[in-house]
Amino acid sequence: QREGPGHRDRQEGPRAASEGRGVLQKAKLTMGLERRPKIAILSSLHPLTVEGGWVDDLIDLVGGEPLPLEGRKRKVISWEDLTDFAPNVLVVCSPIMNSGDKSAKVFNDLCDIASQPGWWQLPAVKDGVVVISEEALLSRMGLRLIDGAEALARIVYGDAVPTCCMPRSAYLLKLRPGQRVRPRLIPNYFVAYS
């Protein structure tokens, strides 16, 4: 079967377009960092499921270190696996974030996770880099992955990367330094990421 003239462009599109935009500029962003930030992108909280495969490539593209998956594209992990990895950035993907409904399942599941021992000691929680993201932005293959790469770079490096997320496509856990709240109140502390 013959491939049309746009076949190669469709295959290389997300990576080529992302590199073409020049927003990530991995070399500049990671220059001066003592070590690569550890990034965990979860596609589910019950059970805890980590995305791998091309998501690992996305993490690498922004200069991060993914949770080791021994070559798997997806892996169910234990709470101890997550606390041992001690991510600097924790992203939870959800299919319903565009509604902005904080009673959604992902927020309820996050309340359960926040009641686990070691939650408040996770570097991502202590540093305020826990994000709930629209699933299409980071965990589904497609053209939104370009936006996802930019959004992940923004999450990791903050203001060093221009604002790129669409409204309500990501929410950030916003607590004062050292602040702890009851796990059931965690949803109240997520704000639209900008």
Side-chain angles (χ1 to χ4, degrees):
Q1 184 178 12
R2 272 184 76 175
E3 297 170 348
H7 177 76
R8 185 173 174 193
D9 292 339
R10 283 192 303 272
Q11 282 184 325
E12 297 175 356
R15 186 171 193 90
S18 179
E19 290 171 353
R21 283 182 171 173
V23 173
L24 299 178
Q25 299 175 13
K26 179 177 157 184
K28 276 188 181 178
L29 292 173
T30 58
M31 199 166 41
L33 292 180
E34 291 179 21
R35 62 195 131 149
R36 295 169 48 174
K38 295 179 179 180
I39 302 172
I41 297 180
L42 305 176
S43 58
S44 171
L45 292 172
H46 287 296
L48 280 175
T49 307
V50 175
E51 291 296 320
W54 53 267
V55 175
D56 284 353
D57 294 337
L58 192 66
I59 291 170
D60 184 60
L61 188 63
V62 300
E65 176 187 335
L67 197 146
L69 297 182
E70 297 93 37
R72 297 184 191 170
K73 291 185 179 181
R74 175 180 289 190
K75 182 180 178 184
V76 174
I77 62 169
S78 68
W79 176 248
E80 290 74 27
D81 291 333
L82 187 65
T83 56
D84 288 347
F85 179 62
N88 303 100
V89 176
L90 179 61
V91 180
V92 180
C93 297
S94 172
I96 49 138
M97 287 313 299
N98 282 335
S99 69
D101 180 10
K102 289 194 179 178
S103 67
K105 183 179 184 318
V106 67
F107 286 106
N108 292 327
D109 290 349
L110 200 58
C111 292
D112 293 341
I113 295 301
S115 66
Q116 295 292 321
W119 164 260
W120 295 106
Q121 284 72 43
L122 288 175
V125 176
K126 288 199 288 190
D127 296 339
V129 196
V130 177
V131 175
I132 298 178
S133 167
E134 170 60 41
E135 142 183 282
L137 200 57
L138 291 168
S139 71
R140 272 202 241 153
M141 183 61 88
L143 292 178
R144 291 252 357 240
L145 279 180
I146 299 165
D147 296 330
E150 293 175 342
L152 186 57
R154 171 97 172 145
I155 290 165
V156 174
Y157 301 108
D159 292 336
V161 176
T163 302
C164 54
C165 296
M166 295 175 66
R168 294 195 203 138
S169 62
Y171 287 84
L172 176 69
L173 180 60
K174 194 81 167 172
L175 295 170
R176 292 185 311 276
Q179 181 183 8
R180 294 184 181 192
V181 297
R182 291 187 179 126
R184 66 182 174 81
L185 298 178
I186 287 275
N188 299 333
Y189 291 88
F190 276 89
V191 297
Y193 196 85
S194 58

